[in-house]
Amino acid sequence: MNGSRAAIRYAKAILSFALEQQKEVEVNNDMILVANTVNESKELQLLLNSPVLKAELKKSALKEVFAGKVTPLTIGLINLLIDNKRLPILGEVAIKYTVIYDSLKGIEVAKVTTAVALTEELNKQVLSKVIEITGKQATIENIINPDIIGGFILRIGDIQYDASVSNKLQLLKRQFEKESFSS
């Protein structure tokens, strides 16, 4: 079974358990922390994926990283993933949890691709634009891709708005090619 399907299964299970205990908000905050921590730490990624390191060593290292920062439910998830030899998908489970949680709470995730990181001011402008377009609250996921040169690409669900410089250049190029063939 691939990691993605398993990650969704674990994410749904932890969300269901968190809802029963009315801890879904706290666990969502945990999952954001876990996803960011895993994403930002090459050492942690190596630890999670290492086939050589013993489970006990991984468990104590993760306790060290997350102790006092996450709920017992999240520690339980980490232990379960270790026991089931699924620790490499921890970051993915965390991301899937937040996606399912946001969907449950009616919060859209707006993916904004920019050449450089969004400033706080631009972040606010994008959020108000998303509310204007969808009528729903949203969280912003900023993807940085220097290839778009400038501008932005906004994706909310299946709606995409491409206002990137690279897209405008492509349109210009196609227009230019059409003109040169027709004359």
Side-chain angles (χ1 to χ4, degrees):
M1 177 188 293
N2 68 23
S4 219
R5 287 220 320 264
I8 290 169
R9 219 178 53 234
Y10 281 102
K12 283 180 175 172
I14 187 84
L15 178 59
S16 161
F17 202 53
L19 284 165
E20 279 173 26
Q21 298 189 17
Q22 298 179 331
K23 297 273 188 219
E24 71 276 8
V25 177
E26 293 92 331
V27 173
N28 188 54
N29 293 334
D30 289 355
M31 293 301 141
I32 292 168
L33 175 72
V34 168
N36 289 338
T37 306
V38 169
N39 187 38
E40 290 165 10
S41 171
K42 288 279 175 258
E43 293 83 8
L44 191 55
Q45 289 168 26
L46 289 170
L47 173 100
L48 295 175
N49 291 299
S50 173
V52 183
L53 295 175
K54 299 267 179 279
E56 280 311 308
L57 185 69
K58 290 181 181 185
K59 201 177 271 192
S60 63
L62 287 165
K63 256 189 198 139
E64 195 74 31
V65 172
F66 295 113
K69 296 178 187 164
V70 296
T71 63
L73 274 173
T74 300
I75 296 294
L77 169 69
I78 291 169
N79 291 335
L80 182 67
L81 289 171
I82 289 171
D83 296 344
N84 293 340
K85 296 179 176 38
R86 287 304 222 163
L87 200 55
I89 66 170
L90 175 64
E92 200 181 342
V93 171
I95 291 166
K96 300 286 185 212
Y97 179 100
T98 60
V99 169
I100 297 166
Y101 173 85
D102 285 348
S103 162
L104 181 77
K105 298 290 182 186
I107 300 169
E108 289 282 351
V109 178
K111 294 186 182 203
V112 182
T113 306
T114 51
V116 293
L118 281 176
T119 62
E120 195 59 44
E121 186 54 39
L122 278 171
N123 211 32
K124 283 180 189 157
Q125 288 175 355
V126 171
L127 277 176
S128 64
K129 195 72 180 161
V130 170
I131 292 167
E132 191 182 303
I133 294 169
T134 65
K136 291 183 178 178
Q137 288 293 326
T139 56
I140 299 281
E141 183 185 329
N142 188 198
I143 301 154
I144 295 153
N145 179 356
D147 294 343
I148 73 165
I149 305 166
F152 65 92
I153 301 168
L154 173 62
R155 177 184 277 285
I156 312 158
D158 54 3
I159 303 164
Q160 179 166 310
Y161 178 73
D162 193 336
S164 65
V165 171
S166 64
N167 184 50
K168 288 181 179 139
L169 289 173
Q170 282 298 322
L171 293 171
L172 216 63
K173 184 179 173 199
R174 282 199 288 273
Q175 190 64 40
F176 180 73
E177 285 168 351
K178 232 187 263 171
E179 294 296 318
S180 38
F181 283 122
S182 59
S183 52

